[in-house]
Amino acid sequence: MKGLPPVPTRACPGTALPLAVTMTMKGAARESQMKFCPIHMLSVRIIQAKNIKSRDLLSASDCYVRLWLPSASNGKLRTKTIKNSDNPIWNETFYFRIQRDVENVLELAVCDEDPLTKDDMQFTVLFNVARIRPGETLREMFALKSERERCTKKWESLEVEFWMERIPGPPEHLITNDVLVSREVCCLKVQVDINESRKYLREGVNLVLTVPASHEGTQKTTEDRDTFYFHCVKAWEPVLKVRLQKVSDKEDVNSNLSDTLTVPMKFLPVGHTVKVTLPVRRNVPLQLYLQLDDCTEKLDVRLGYDLCREEQEFLHKRRRVVASALKRVLHLERDLHGHEVPVIAVMATGGGLRAMSAMYGHLLALQKLNLLDCVTYLTGASGSTWTLADLYEHADWSQKTLEGPLKAVKEQVTKCKLNLMSIDHLKYYHKELAERAKAGHVSSFTTLWSLVQEMFLHERPRKYKLTDQRKALEYGQNPLPFYAVLNVKEEKFGTFKFREWTNFSPYEVAIPKYGASIPSEYFDSEFFMGRRVKKLPESRICYLEGLWTNIFTRNLLDGLYWSSNSNEFWERWAKDMVDIEKHSPEDDVTVIEPPSCLSGKLYEMFQDIMTKRPLLGKSHNFLRGLEFHKDYSHQKKFIEWKDTVLDSFPNSLTPLQKYLCLIDVGYFINTSGAALFKPERNVDVIISLDYGLGNVFKQLEMTYKYCKIQKIPFPKVELSKEEEKNPKECYVFLDAEDPRAPIVIHFPLVNDTFKEFKEPGVKRCVSEMEEGKVNLENNCSPYYLIRLIYSSENFDKLVNLSQYNILNNKDLLLQAIRSAVERRRSSRTGNLPSHSGAGYH
């Protein structure tokens, strides 16, 4: 905060604390650690700027500097404005209380004030505070050395002086997984007399309570609310401000009916109630009761890259089921030992009703081959998540024939849907949306889409929730399902510039890049600094399905990608990843130049049009408030998932966002495999089910390229032109040189021998040839993505084709699984088998 004097450097008598003490949390050595680290005071003196190029036509610039250090404050500070000067001098000093164990990147923006339009930004400096040593003064000249000034050397520049010193006193308690950091949080409870507040409300007056540094920010009284909570970072020394204000004049400061009561929270005794009085002009003073508490309970966000305890327990149970099934299927002479049991996963792409229907056929075939009990993980994206969500409503679904569920799905897929927008349905949608908004959920178009989709697939509301699927995992009786989505930016960035894999399971919701996850029932609640600060009831699964299959979130930039040569975009993304490593605020100063003067506002307008996602679904961000460890970008686990241009810029990453913006994975790579690439799951075999039309290898090839760039073990995917032109039913890819790479068995959606065979080895007679004609052409197929109703005949053809392709390649499946068992056995002795590749591609 501005105006705070420097802290004395002399330590308190008797204080002999180390600069940083680390304690490993019991039972979580590989997950997170507790650290005790001192707090420091950072002084930033904005001295002057030179050679500022005016963006005004008739006068020099009206400059000010905006300061933003999100690791020390959630607000932005600014200097005064110097009018009509290309060489403004400020000499203003700002102070920040910082924690040196977190990544502190100070953003300094030189701006030209414009009273009529949005202020122009001249240039921005990103400065890593780690360059400043305690007790030393550092003066920096930040210069924008653009091409236009290279000849004259009249560079636009900003001169700043930094100083830092340790603050005497007890150290701060941090919890970290070496990527994210949770800091000490305090909670202020404010209680008012509800009768008094109602009296003021009837007179058109609000009680306005504000803690600028808190998660909640500003809150106001309502008819049925008399208690308010504010959660803050304790080290920021937050302040409570209270005033009475006319409801009709929200922005008019002069409408206040009281002076502002200011209470520094550092002076409140922890755990005790304190009464304070708000003087009211020409009226009786208003009494408020304050209680400050330290949030010492354990985090609600799990910081760690290990598998959660529930998944580990499931794997222990499922391993016994898989071992028994493999012994029967492979005709083994003895039982498999625990380390010999391979992890087999089914990885399905999206594809709307086509994916949902065809996946039933694939799973039914695996069940008939007794291979479904050999599978440990099932992953779905977009349309294939509908299949998983339906199946896991039943605790023993894989132990019963899938003929029954398949019949029910057929009935829905072939039924007319014209009543989805009837008056009765519209009333139901409106009522549901209103109730969710009242409960505190974020409302968006996706919420409506979720309800319409539920009626489309089931014709009735379901109370079923994601955590109800835990019953289907209780004894390891079914594979563990994962639902894949992407977290993106609402605007300013297309999916190729920024997106993060996000996985849902009955146990957890996780963003693997950060090593952060929450219990699934906590999703949609509000979080701050790893703690659940507002508890909302768990959403019905239809609202999650709306996020997993949200087809309305594409922006124009994403559309441009899909209408162009994807290879060019892929190469550009790979180049961005290389370039961004050269320009990072971690080790040096990054100076960002805005667009040219003439095109600035036009460019911003064009960027908004291209990147805005108008129908995006939002959810409360469970990472909100968490900060980054000072060495986060060098951690191996983070690097495994570091794949966007923003990953080296912590101020732009998800923990600073209020909401998660979740979209269909198909806007990047149509794969659900992110959960399977996590090395802790140690997947041996992936049965890849691709539901794409047209280029049936495109998504798998993109997955391979992605894994190659990210150094994720994955077999090479290369096909001849003939194979691409005339694809077969099944391909097996493996990497004989890397035992970490899974064996991938790929089933594209193709109609090959099914044309002539109704069952493996059973030819069709003349009257049955029509049943083998399945139109999978991209543009004229009855299974095209936007088709919402299938004929009974077309549904049967698609399901029968999918089932046949699995059954007809039983030998390849068994050969791949047998190889995985051998690899497991050999890895125990250190002698890995060599694969001849016979029958493999």
Side-chain angles (χ1 to χ4, degrees), residues 420-421 425-434 436 444-462 540 542-546:
L420 289 177
M421 292 300 173
H425 278 104
L426 291 176
K427 288 180 179 178
Y428 164 69
Y429 301 152
H430 182 269
K431 180 183 176 183
E432 281 284 304
L433 293 173
R436 278 183 66 80
S444 68
F445 175 83
T446 303
T447 314
L448 174 60
W449 159 245
S450 301
L451 294 170
V452 174
Q453 181 177 272
E454 181 181 44
M455 288 299 164
F456 172 78
L457 294 172
H458 304 283
E459 293 189 312
R460 60 180 175 84
R462 297 181 300 166
R540 296 190 293 118
C542 76
Y543 294 109
L544 300 184
E545 288 180 295

Side-chain angles (χ1 to χ4, degrees), residues 201-260:
L201 282 172
R202 286 193 294 270
E203 297 172 359
V205 177
N206 253 328
L207 180 66
V208 182
L209 306 99
T210 303
V211 179
S214 71
H215 163 74
E216 291 80 4
T218 296
Q219 301 184 69
K220 298 179 181 180
T221 48
T222 61
E223 282 288 340
D224 54 355
R225 189 176 181 193
D226 63 347
T227 304
F228 304 85
Y229 294 91
F230 294 91
H231 295 83
C232 326
V233 177
K234 193 173 180 181
W236 291 0
E237 295 192 343
V239 174
L240 169 69
K241 298 181 179 181
V242 187
R243 68 182 187 278
L244 281 172
Q245 185 184 60
K246 289 183 180 178
V247 176
S248 57
D249 299 319
K250 297 178 182 179
E251 303 300 328
D252 185 4
V253 177
N254 296 322
S255 70
N256 287 351
L257 301 180
S258 69
D259 294 330
T260 299

